[in-house]
Amino acid sequence: MTIPIANPTISEKAKARVEAVLDSGMIADGPEVRKFEDEFADYCEVEYGVATANGTAALHAALEALGIGEGDTVLTTPLSFVATANAIRFTGAKPVFADINPETYNLDPDAATTVARKHDVDAIMPVHLYGLPVAMNPIQDLASDLDIPIVEDAAQAHGATYGGDPVGSLGDVACFSFYPTKNMTTGEGGMIVTNRDDIFEAASQFVNHGRTESYEHAMLGHNFRMTSMAAAIGRVQLDRLPEFIETRRENAAKLTEGLTETSVATPTEPDGLKHVYHQYTIRTDSRDELQDHLDDHGVGNNVYYPKCIHEQPAYDGIKVTAPKGEAAAMEVLSLPVHPSVSADDRNWIIESIQDYDTE
Ligand SMILES: Cc1ncc(COP(=O)(O)O)c(C=O)c1O
């Protein structure tokens, strides 16, 4: 039996709430979605939430709500899921990439400053990769110097905090994903959160055909809406999120304790930041061999991400200087850290890597 890399768990309570929604007949958008938006916004300590069909749609709508489009440039990290930069391109804007800090795998503020000034960027989209917040103070200073907005890509970081403040409250607008591997899920789903009335209004319209009233459409928009069944699952998952996060953090602490003397580099949690370990990501210079060994020992593992975004065929032709991101993409490897990982599983993961070192 293999310890899976992800294991979403849907409780009986969530199933019962989905059934109640199904029975209500309000199965597309509806009051259940409004409640989830309010509860998730509260959790992020912001005013508004706009639920979406997925995290990519949330990012796309957030950028549109800021008026980002053709002729604009948005700065982001090269080490992320491709959807981060795709969302920028969907608006007609161009993504530009600044290198990462190899300790945190997140956008390096110095590199971001250089690239932002060189390209005269119109927005910054930091990604809290693996559940660790980006060094936001310097990014906030940069954005305020340049008078441009920050769109947090918090798809992997529900519940993470920076100086005690939750991700989702650290920029002008933030976007989450509820894909099944995430720290909380709705099957497919996403959420935009913001304190800004103008972003809330524009994003709410954009995800709903640009609708202002029943059949009144103020602008071009999409159907990016969340279903009420997804919202029903999300509300129960949100209640369980603090417990999910604590278990992930406990699993991560034990893994780090057991792996410090081994050949792999363990993840860091800088002072003042709360990592929520969406992924527990180690670094190794013999990744292929270690993956084979872990596969043979029933330890699920995966690479997030085997290439930087600019190295993807879909980004062919983009010139980027990001040697640290490119090097990380060749060496990172994620191990099971989700709440279903037991103490025995943790020990087995640690022993398997110790065993690999002695082979
Ligand atoms: C960093 C990041 N951004 C954006 C997304 C897109 O979210 P979704 O898959 O829900 O569209 C994801 C998730 O897969 C992600 O990990």
Side-chain angles (χ1 to χ4, degrees), residues 6 39 55 57 70 214 309 322 327:
E39 289 163 5
E70 201 79 42
S214 188
I309 295 175

Side-chain angles (χ1 to χ4, degrees), residues 53-59 79-85 125 127-130 153-156 175-179 181-182 187-190 278 305:
N54 55 63
T56 313
L59 289 168
L79 190 64
S80 181
F81 184 53
V82 70
T84 303
M125 190 186 280
V127 180
H128 308 301
L129 197 72
Y130 306 142
D153 181 342
Q156 303 190 359
C175 300
F176 293 82
S177 163
F178 303 121
Y179 187 73
T181 55
K182 300 295 194 275
E188 296 278 6
H278 164 57
Y305 295 93

Side-chain angles (χ1 to χ4, degrees), residues 104 106 127-134 157 268-270 273-276:
T104 62
N106 277 330
V127 180
H128 308 301
L129 197 72
Y130 306 142
L132 178 68
V134 173
T268 49
E269 184 183 49
L273 275 63
K274 181 174 179 184
H275 199 323
V276 289

Side-chain angles (χ1 to χ4, degrees), residues 40-336:
F40 196 83
D42 277 354
Y43 182 77
C44 296
E45 298 177 16
V46 298
E47 200 65 36
Y48 304 111
V50 180
T52 57
N54 55 63
T56 313
L59 289 168
H60 182 178
L63 289 164
E64 292 277 352
L66 284 164
I68 297 292
E70 201 79 42
D72 291 330
T73 306
V74 180
L75 171 72
T76 191
T77 173
L79 190 64
S80 181
F81 184 53
V82 70
T84 303
N86 285 355
I88 298 168
R89 287 174 66 189
F90 286 139
T91 69
K94 187 177 118 185
V96 290
F97 301 91
D99 211 351
I100 62 158
N101 171 347
E103 290 290 306
T104 62
Y105 303 112
N106 277 330
L107 202 53
D108 171 48
D110 291 337
T113 304
T114 308
V115 174
R117 293 194 187 282
K118 183 170 161 206
H119 289 275
D120 192 18
V121 301
D122 301 285
I124 306 181
M125 190 186 280
V127 180
H128 308 301
L129 197 72
Y130 306 142
L132 178 68
V134 173
M136 286 303 288
N137 280 347
I139 299 289
Q140 286 158 342
D141 290 347
L142 175 64
S144 109
D145 274 3
L146 299 176
D147 195 19
I148 56 173
I150 295 175
V151 182
E152 292 175 77
D153 181 342
Q156 303 190 359
H158 326 64
T161 61
Y162 180 83
D165 295 326
V167 305
S169 69
L170 306 171
D172 294 77
V173 56
C175 300
F176 293 82
S177 163
F178 303 121
Y179 187 73
T181 55
K182 300 295 194 275
N183 286 17
M184 60 172 282
T185 186
T186 61
E188 296 278 6
M191 186 76 77
I192 302 165
V193 297
T194 184
N195 274 319
R196 279 178 50 177
D197 300 6
D198 59 330
I199 296 178
F200 168 66
E201 266 155 42
S204 304
Q205 286 175 24
F206 187 77
V207 303
N208 191 14
H209 300 292
R211 195 186 298 258
T212 44
E213 282 171 58
S214 188
Y215 284 100
E216 193 67 27
H217 304 272
M219 58 152 143
L220 197 61
H222 281 273
N223 175 356
F224 281 167
R225 296 182 305 253
M226 175 179 275
T227 69
S228 293
M229 288 77 79
I233 299 171
R235 292 182 67 204
V236 180
Q237 288 268 309
L238 181 59
D239 284 345
R240 297 172 70 199
L241 183 60
E243 167 203 323
F244 288 157
I245 291 173
E246 279 329 296
T247 315
R248 282 177 180 271
R249 285 178 57 76
E250 193 183 314
N251 285 339
K254 296 284 187 202
L255 287 173
T256 296
E257 201 181 303
L259 294 174
T260 35
E261 301 294 316
T262 66
S263 62
V264 305
T266 53
T268 49
E269 184 183 49
D271 284 348
L273 275 63
K274 181 174 179 184
H275 199 323
V276 289
Y277 294 99
H278 164 57
Q279 297 297 345
Y280 182 88
T281 302
I282 57 168
R283 192 162 174 161
T284 167
D285 55 13
S286 58
R287 186 169 69 194
D288 289 350
E289 293 80 356
L290 180 56
Q291 278 199 280
D292 287 345
H293 180 88
L294 293 173
D295 290 345
D296 289 346
H297 284 70
V299 176
N301 61 86
N302 214 343
V303 175
Y304 307 103
Y305 295 93
K307 287 176 179 178
C308 283
I309 295 175
H310 62 273
E311 299 176 293
Q312 292 290 347
Y315 283 73
D316 191 33
I318 291 196
K319 280 186 98 179
V320 175
T321 312
K324 293 174 188 150
E326 289 169 11
M330 316 244 319
E331 296 188 348
V332 289
L333 183 63
S334 298
L335 303 173

